Amino acid sequence: MRILDETVYVGPNLYARFPVLRLLVDLGVFEEWPSARLGAPFIDGLLAALPGLHDHGCSYRAPGGLARRLREDEGTWLGHILEHVALELQELAGAHVTFGKTRGAGPRGHYHVVYEYEQRDVGLRAGELALTLLMSLVPAALRPAGAVPDGFDFARERDEFIRWAQRRAFGPSTAALVAEAERRGIPWIRLDDASLVQLGHGRWQQRLQATITGRTPHIAVELASDKAATNRILAGLGLPVPEQRLVHSAEDAVRAAERLGYPVVVKPADANHGRGITIGLTDAEQVRAAFTRAREHARDVLVEQYVGGADHRMLVIGGRLVAVAQRVPGHVVGNGRHTIEALVEAVNHDPRRGVGHEKILTRLEFDAQAERLLAEQGYTRTSVPAAGARVFLRSTGNLSTGGTAIDLTDVVHPDNAAMAVRAVQAIGLDVGGVDFLTDDITRSYKEAGGAICEINAAPGFRMHIAPSEGRPRDPAGAVLDLLFPPGTPSRIPIVAVTGTNGKTTTARMLAHLCQLAGHTVGLTTTDGVYIAGQRTVVGDMTGPAATEMVLSDPAVDLAVLEIARGGLLRAGMGVPDCDVAAVLNVGPDHLGRLGVETLEQMAEVKRIPVEVAREAAVLNADDPRVLAMAPHVRARHLTLTTMDPGHQAVRRHIEAGGRAVVLEAGITGPVLTLYEHRAPVPLLHAHLVPATREGRARHQIANALAAAAMAHALGCSLDQIRHGLQTFDTTFYQAPGRGNLFTQHPFQVVLDYAHNAPAVAAMADYVDRVPVAGRRLVVLAAPGDRRDADIAAVARSAAGHFDHYVVRRDDDLRGRAPDEVPRLLRAALRAAGVPAPAIDVVPDERAAVAHALALARAGDLLLVLADDLTRSWNQIVEFRPTAAERRARARRPARTPPAPLELAHGMARGYVYDRHGIRRARGEEVGD
């Protein structure tokens, strides 16, 4: 059994509408060994290793379901078990994941094992450890060589995995902030592998690093880290602080202690989490030893007066005291029967205690500090303390070292609350923790005494979120109130545009329209990322990485995302949901790749954005597979678009009060018309949209309908929609490779990126509608990674629409021979009735474009279907015919005469030809 491939899905995907991992697993010999056949040793060993599996409901949806599946009938297969073990390991590491599914992947023994994750690296490693555990439990005779490392100890590996996962997981404070953001519907993005998080999108974003916010002054953090400076500032305001001295040597520390008077505290000047602190020192030798320990954590050391009393953490957020917890150092309580070692083991069995920050409490450990404190108290590990005796293993109450917390927020004295707020404001923090020592927090420090020993920037929330005793508090809510006061937005509108063809142009059209309406638009397309119309990243940017770039940009207030099939299948949608989603069409491109074999499967992929749209879904009703997505819409509005004013489904939708954008017949030509509440509102004539080339480019009319529908859903006014459509043109600089027209030669040239049969058919339809005095020529190609049938379909889409064909291949052969694609295109054109003399095979793209330009004469129209758009456009613009080419054109006959046998054969098959021997569609005007 082995893992063949791993895929990490970010956001909605084909398997779930949230992040999941997919492992492609080959069971090998274990296809014949389901769990029941592996028997009790395997099943009992698995449940003993991971008792939490007893709680997995599996298909029975009740605790014990998985255990039942393991034993009943044949049992279940190892791929399915791997899914559950990977989930359980993540749960042990503190993640909350429950979803999984395992499905056959085609070849016998191959399975897609899909399971939820919170942190990608943790999810992947959980899958790897799960596989190793399963292999360690199967009979040795079946186990593949090297499947289990020598000396594999699952308990040790499990604990190491938990520690490793905790180092990558959010800490309790960051996790609480993120959870609160999710509860409030505030989106978030993790910006590094630690605790840097962006809350909100685009211009509304706020950043956090643990509990330091983007509004926390840097100088305040520096002051809080400088304990000596903090002490001076607070003392200067009359706040209660112990007297202290900064020292640089052990002897300096002893002299300082003698001046201050014993007992004293020795601590690093800028450490945290209680590291290097020693309290209650009563003689010079203790001070010298404490100085050495403190110097291990900081260059500068402080000696300060010892202030008795309990340790309290007072949390101030936004000028308000929101929580108070008394911290008790890690300890055990004797019972007169058990040793300290046994008492520690019993405490660590508390289900609330875990490794690191895994749970609300941390396990107690025997280390150098614990051994020293035991010795100071007159104990060893094997001592049996008296009943009720507290034995401390830590000198400070930090939860991260095994301490516990008691919530006292409701009983703190108002004077103490005011003192804490003043102290944090004095340092300048928006979120700060005050470490206050006093015997009784319910009495005013003015009467009961006490002192502030530290002010903490980035104070931890764990002791307040889940105290050992008392009521939990909500510090995360207070921080979110500070960053996003009521009425403050956190989201920017997100539009997802997908389809087989037209999505880049439509996304650009919509971005242009919204830009003119006053938005700063972030746009992702197949040729780059654009911010406010400027390309910032070059390349195919239609996946989750590009989406995050746009949503992280602080200037952006609206995102338009081109969502490609490949990105959805390889990595997911990249964002949990969107405001508006549009599906333009579903065509036969990329079939046979990434597991998508049929148009129905392709439609299921394209449907993903529609299912997670919140405000509106825009569907092209002229494509039956797109229209069939309507029942899956969960958005507030469904808008249908059509170029058929008599479309019955659209008419029923309009009569029901639904939205639609329809190409209606007008007195002076077709009109883009918006329907809402059954009332038609004309937008503008199709021929007034420059991208449609006076209404001849029908595919661009369809794109304009979708763009208008999405703009309306975003709240753009009718005038803004009209203005945007009237000013968007498909020039090379505004929409490269999307019907770019060059008219500076004696002939016209159109450059387009069409590379599949529907796109080529759309361009051929456009060329047919353009008045041409001369001939129509085309440079035709298809990507090498398409199926032979798809390449032939490209040729058939072009056949009969042009007088001359130059067939080529892309620079990237994608597994094909250098002239294989041109030969397939030529064969398909010939089979469609195109005469052999009308086809030139020029494999190289640069040479093919040059050849076609040289063939063109005055009055001709040349359609160049290009792959390298910039290079081909430069060739077109810079083309200058040589003198020889000019003479050859003057001598060249106007048309290539048809081959008589070919013409007769075609007519016998029912083809229609013009007088030049060029095949035309039935019913088409063939002219003279």
Side-chain angles (χ1 to χ4, degrees), residues 750-776:
V750 178
L751 177 75
D752 200 87
Y753 184 62
H755 57 278
N756 56 56
V760 172
M763 290 307 298
D765 177 76
Y766 162 63
V767 169
D768 284 345
R769 296 173 186 275
V770 176
V772 177
R775 303 167 302 162
R776 294 176 173 86

Side-chain angles (χ1 to χ4, degrees), residues 733-797:
Y733 303 101
Q734 195 165 11
R738 272 67 188 180
N740 312 136
L741 178 63
F742 189 79
T743 60
Q744 301 304 305
H745 297 315
F747 49 88
Q748 300 179 70
V749 185
V750 178
L751 177 75
D752 200 87
Y753 184 62
H755 57 278
N756 56 56
V760 172
M763 290 307 298
D765 177 76
Y766 162 63
V767 169
D768 284 345
R769 296 173 186 275
V770 176
V772 177
R775 303 167 302 162
R776 294 176 173 86
L777 303 87
V778 65
V779 176
L780 186 66
D785 58 355
R786 304 308 195 263
R787 302 172 303 180
D788 287 1
D790 298 327
I791 295 174
V794 167
R796 288 195 298 272
S797 294

Side-chain angles (χ1 to χ4, degrees), residues 494-498 573 578-583 606-619 635 639 710:
I494 299 173
V495 183
V497 183
T498 192
M573 187 170 155
C578 60
D579 295 273
V580 180
V583 183
K606 300 290 187 184
R607 195 178 70 211
I608 292 171
V610 168
E611 295 186 5
V612 298
R614 296 184 297 120
E615 177 62 27
V618 176
L619 301 179
T639 304
M710 289 185 284

